[in-house]
Amino acid sequence: MENHTDALFRGSENHLSGLLTLTARLVQDRLSAALRPHGVTYAQAAALVRLWRTPDGRMLQHDFVTSLALARPSGTLLISDLERSGLVGRSPDPTDGRRQVITLTEAGRELEGKVHGVISGLQREIDRIVGREDLARTMRVLTTVLSWLEPAAMAALPAHDREPGRRITGSALPAPRPADR
């Protein structure tokens, strides 16, 4: 005999993972189309956001890939793509040459306002459809789930959206020398 909960989740359209996957895919498609005129893909923009949220536009490669919830090979391919596009640079960590540091280039920095405008525009559209209160509640719930699934990915969120008292800056890198900026 089927209970009420089983009936609610019988079809993938009513299953949380199905709804999240489909919604994420459609949001990514919408953002990709809006980002295309700026010469950046959705994956590139998502990665650049991580660097824009650090104090100095730099992260250790491992921390960068982890914050994107990517497997190491996928993260390495994305970083190579960002390098070929001239949006980031990769260099050895001055304190440990075995580690790589990912750094925004000037071209990467210049995209911030355009990408932010695209992302904010879509969020304003969603806010108009569902309302500010429901959107805020949804963001809180998704942040809680993200924190549970992959605590390291919390670095992807702005400080005000993270768990209270938790400060994530991306990495513990030494301050860049003036010539590195």
Side-chain angles (χ1 to χ4, degrees):
M1 182 167 155
E2 186 173 62
N3 67 34
H4 177 68
T5 302
D6 291 337
L8 282 174
F9 297 111
R10 190 173 329 128
S12 65
E13 69 280 359
N14 290 329
H15 196 275
L16 178 62
S17 64
L19 284 170
L20 288 172
T21 301
L22 182 58
T23 303
R25 188 174 309 128
L26 293 172
V27 165
Q28 288 177 10
D29 288 349
R30 177 79 57 98
L31 289 172
S32 291
L35 290 165
R36 197 169 296 120
H38 302 294
V40 66
T41 67
Y42 173 80
Q44 290 172 329
L48 290 170
V49 167
R50 300 328 186 257
L51 292 168
W52 293 328
R53 290 183 175 158
T54 64
D56 58 2
R58 303 177 333 143
M59 288 180 80
L60 292 172
Q61 181 169 325
H62 174 269
D63 295 343
F64 181 67
V65 171
T66 299
S67 78
L68 294 165
L70 293 175
R72 191 168 69 185
S74 298
T76 301
L77 288 172
L78 177 58
I79 293 166
S80 295
D81 184 45
L82 288 164
E83 273 187 305
R84 275 192 303 280
S85 297
L87 302 173
V88 303
R90 190 176 356 194
S91 60
D93 179 349
T95 63
D96 183 348
R98 297 169 296 176
R99 301 186 311 180
Q100 294 288 306
V101 178
I102 309 304
T103 306
L104 280 169
T105 63
E106 190 58 37
R109 290 179 196 282
E110 289 173 2
L111 278 175
E112 185 173 8
K114 294 172 185 171
V115 170
H116 179 69
V118 168
I119 294 169
S120 295
L122 180 59
Q123 186 156 327
R124 281 191 302 275
E125 285 182 58
I126 294 169
D127 181 50
R128 276 195 303 275
I129 294 165
V130 301
R132 182 150 296 161
E133 186 177 309
D134 282 347
L135 181 57
R137 182 179 297 111
T138 300
M139 298 290 283
R140 285 191 305 273
V141 168
L142 291 175
T143 300
T144 300
V145 173
L146 175 63
S147 175
W148 172 69
L149 289 171
E150 184 60 64
M154 293 299 289
L157 301 175
H160 64 273
D161 287 341
R162 296 185 203 132
E163 295 173 342
R166 184 175 180 162
R167 178 156 167 70
I168 300 173
T169 59
S171 64
L173 291 173
R177 296 181 309 256
D180 292 341
R181 289 183 186 233

